[in-house]
Amino acid sequence: MKELVIKSTIREAQLDELTEQERTLIQKAIEATDRSYAPYSHFHVGAAISLQNGELFMGCNQENAAFPAGICAERSAIFAAGAKYPDQPVTMLAIAARNPQGELQEEPVSPCGPCRQVLIETETRFHQPVRILLYGQKHIYVVDSIKQLMPLSFTEF
């Protein structure tokens, strides 16, 4: 049996180390947490994406008593952007979350499996990586492609 070692590169940054565009996107993700509908989990997630044409879209999680009829913040933002600008690549995604007490998470949160798969599809569709900013009050993780979070991914066959 052969052992494979798969490495990911994730950088840790402070807000003041990011570009103005990155800080703006994180602020939009934080703002989107206030629009979340999470009466069951009480975990409010916001996402913001930028498109290649400069347009920004926000998304937030929307829960439903009939699980899994809700949608995550990341997918709501990506699908809203795709509905308006189907030919525009996503260049960057920021994610922020609030805990049940309404406080921003101390540590960054990462996308769930289905959201990671949608991001893989987005990168594959447009043949370019999506820069991901995972916000936490203590620090921000900066990821250059979803492939760093999901190196063994399912793509078109």
Side-chain angles (χ1 to χ4, degrees), residues 37-56:
Y37 179 70
Y40 306 104
S41 71
H42 306 288
F43 190 68
H44 300 269
V45 182
I49 63 169
S50 62
L51 301 181
Q52 193 168 46
N53 67 1
E55 293 288 328
L56 301 180

Side-chain angles (χ1 to χ4, degrees), residues 65-109:
F67 294 117
I71 190 166
C72 296
E74 301 91 312
R75 285 181 284 147
S76 71
I78 290 170
F79 295 159
K84 186 162 184 181
Y85 296 105
D87 297 326
Q88 284 296 308
V90 175
T91 57
M92 194 166 15
L93 162 73
I95 304 169
R98 293 185 188 276
N99 63 26
Q101 292 73 39
E103 302 160 340
L104 287 168
Q105 290 290 111
E106 290 283 318
E107 294 292 330
V109 295

Side-chain angles (χ1 to χ4, degrees), residues 11-20 22-23 26 131 133 138-140 142:
R11 291 183 307 286
E12 184 179 286
Q14 297 300 313
L15 203 54
D16 63 357
E17 296 177 293
L18 302 178
T19 67
E20 183 177 339
E22 291 168 331
R23 289 191 303 268
I26 286 172
R131 185 176 180 85
L133 307 169
K138 289 184 178 178
H139 46 255
I140 299 150
V142 179

